[in-house]
Amino acid sequence: MSSMEEDCFDRLPDALLLVIFNKVVDAKSLTRCISVSKRFASLVFEADTVFLSIPPRKHNSKADNRSLRRNLFKILISKLIAKPLHFFHRFIADRSDTDRKTVSFYSPKEVLKHFQQAKTMHMELPSDDVMTGLEGNDSLLKWKARFGSEIKNFVILSATSFQKRMQPLSSDDFSENNGEVLTDGQMKLQIVRTISCLLAASARHYLIKQVLEEHHALEDIIASDVCKQGRVCMGKDEVAEIRNSMKSMVANTDSSLERTRVPDLSLKLWFVPVLELPENGYIMKGATLAVLRPNDDGQIGNGSKSDLFGFDGEEREKKAFNEAVREMVKMKKSYLMTMDSF
């Protein structure tokens, strides 16, 4: 009778149980395992791979928030028309303390504080309120950023339309924009989109720094969002770099923005009115690819090509995104500009 009642998990060595827990990954599921047994409770928090989906905060006045976003968008557009690329610092500095301290999600510290052995961590945040300037359900916006102590590489892929190609293209598909030239309006919207994505990425980097302060074993960390729009990635070298910078960080550094400072950047932009992706059967309209790197990092083309790929999304879409990037960087015509820090 005793042999029949014996728990099979009791026969498994601790090392094998940890392998199982590392396959579970989800922090909430792992935490629930604590109540299974004392043995589980003693091993769960030794898992070295953790995923945490962070829920959004509930706001009482959604209408007010929508109105605020619309007003901010209007301010961006009006100032871009008057002084393109020169208003960023003033816009950021003029935002009220109340607005700057608004955080749209709960802090992950409470859930993650016990996972001190974690080496790999993936945090999934609520969707960002990114001002895209894109309309329509088939529009596309994807971005990815690599950070160390500050931004190292930033890539944005966007399109006014991203669809499966159902039939061959006609001449009408190419008549929307003759030539690969961005209009002034399109360029201004692209700049607004770029700033908005940079703000979202720098806020995630700020959150990552807070997590690294309490998790000393971490080597790889990703901060993505539930809509799979953007992701901030840091590998072992980048984590080591940011840890060193945090040790020498000035004590009175302003943290009211709740984001990392964005340095002076160089921007290279490609634009294609209609882009066919025959390998994966998609078509993009109004496709733009923006690559940003720090000004002191040399020419943009000198970076690793692998930094251009790896956007988040469904598997079939990821291949199409990679194909789009490969085709666009082949094109000779591009736009070059610089962006001041903010």
Side-chain angles (χ1 to χ4, degrees):
M1 179 176 176
S2 59
S3 61
M4 293 178 62
E5 293 179 350
E6 184 180 3
D7 191 338
C8 293
F9 273 102
D10 290 338
R11 301 180 181 180
L12 300 179
D14 289 354
L16 185 54
L17 276 179
L18 281 174
V19 170
I20 295 173
F21 289 147
N22 284 327
K23 295 294 183 181
V24 174
V25 178
D26 180 62
K28 294 179 181 178
S29 298
L30 287 170
T31 303
R32 293 190 184 103
C33 291
I34 296 173
S35 60
V36 174
S37 67
K38 291 183 178 180
R39 187 183 179 208
F40 274 30
S42 67
L43 292 173
V44 161
F45 292 126
E46 293 186 22
D48 61 16
T49 303
V50 179
F51 169 84
L52 176 63
S53 180
I54 304 172
R57 287 187 181 275
K58 294 182 179 180
H59 297 285
N60 294 327
S61 180
K62 294 182 179 179
D64 289 345
N65 289 338
R66 288 195 296 268
S67 177
L68 175 61
R69 291 196 294 270
R70 284 197 297 268
N71 290 336
L72 289 176
F73 189 81
K74 290 178 181 178
I75 292 171
L76 280 166
I77 294 298
S78 64
K79 288 186 176 291
L80 275 169
I81 292 174
K83 295 181 179 180
L85 290 179
H86 294 290
F87 75 98
F88 305 139
H89 179 74
R90 177 175 296 179
F91 172 74
I92 299 301
D94 287 347
R95 294 179 69 181
S96 67
D97 291 339
T98 301
D99 181 45
R100 288 187 298 179
K101 288 182 177 294
T102 299
V103 179
S104 61
F105 51 84
Y106 291 99
S107 172
K109 289 184 178 181
E110 188 64 28
V111 177
L112 294 175
K113 67 180 181 181
H114 298 294
F115 291 95
Q116 294 298 319
Q117 305 304 315
K119 295 182 178 180
T120 301
M121 185 176 293
H122 182 175
M123 296 183 293
E124 185 181 75
L125 308 175
S127 59
D128 298 301
D129 291 329
V130 174
M131 292 176 283
T132 67
L134 298 170
E135 298 179 356
N137 295 330
D138 59 345
S139 61
L140 172 73
L141 177 63
K142 297 288 180 178
W143 61 264
K144 57 168 291 191
R146 184 168 60 88
F147 276 82
S149 57
E150 61 181 22
I151 193 168
K152 290 181 174 293
N153 185 76
F154 196 87
V155 186
I156 305 172
L157 179 65
S158 62
T160 56
S161 175
F162 175 72
Q163 293 181 322
K164 268 285 189 182
R165 189 181 60 187
M166 305 304 294
Q167 57 187 8
L169 293 175
S170 66
S171 58
D172 292 337
D173 292 308
F174 294 93
S175 63
E176 297 179 0
N177 194 330
N178 294 323
E180 300 167 5
V181 179
L182 277 169
T183 65
D184 288 344
Q186 289 171 325
M187 179 62 78
K188 290 165 184 173
L189 285 175
Q190 180 62 42
I191 294 169
V192 171
R193 193 178 306 141
T194 300
I195 298 170
S196 193
C197 291
L198 282 168
L199 289 173
S202 64
R204 294 186 194 184
H205 184 248
Y206 183 85
L207 174 64
I208 287 174
K209 288 194 291 186
Q210 292 179 317
V211 172
L212 289 175
E213 286 178 349
E214 300 182 4
H215 294 78
H216 305 291
L218 272 178
E219 297 179 354
D220 294 275
I221 187 165
I222 294 174
S224 64
D225 59 86
V226 68
C227 294
K228 300 184 182 298
Q229 187 175 81
R231 61 196 287 135
V232 172
C233 308
M234 294 179 64
K236 188 174 183 178
D237 293 340
E238 288 82 17
V239 168
E241 178 184 319
I242 193 173
R243 288 193 192 281
N244 291 332
S245 70
M246 289 165 64
K247 291 177 183 178
S248 59
M249 190 177 297
V250 179
N252 62 356
T253 299
D254 180 19
S255 61
S256 61
L257 288 177
E258 295 192 343
R259 65 173 179 83
T260 302
R261 171 186 168 275
V262 177
D264 295 343
L265 298 172
S266 295
L267 166 65
K268 189 171 186 178
L269 180 70
W270 291 267
F271 171 71
V272 186
V274 180
L275 180 64
E276 288 190 85
L277 304 173
E279 289 182 15
N280 294 282
Y282 282 88
I283 180 171
M284 298 175 72
K285 295 184 180 180
T288 57
L289 175 67
V291 179
L292 300 96
R293 291 196 176 100
N295 279 346
D296 58 1
D297 200 30
Q299 295 183 357
I300 289 182
N302 292 339
S304 172
K305 289 187 176 180
S306 62
D307 288 335
L308 301 177
F309 305 101
F311 293 104
D312 217 341
E314 303 298 331
E315 285 303 318
R316 69 181 189 281
E317 294 178 337
K318 288 180 182 180
K319 294 180 181 179
F321 300 153
N322 291 341
E323 183 184 358
V325 171
R326 288 197 304 269
E327 293 302 316
M328 294 180 78
V329 296
K330 292 178 185 177
M331 298 177 178
K332 295 181 179 180
K333 185 175 180 59
S334 60
Y335 300 83
L336 294 173
M337 62 188 77
T338 59
M339 183 178 294
D340 293 337
S341 65
F342 58 90

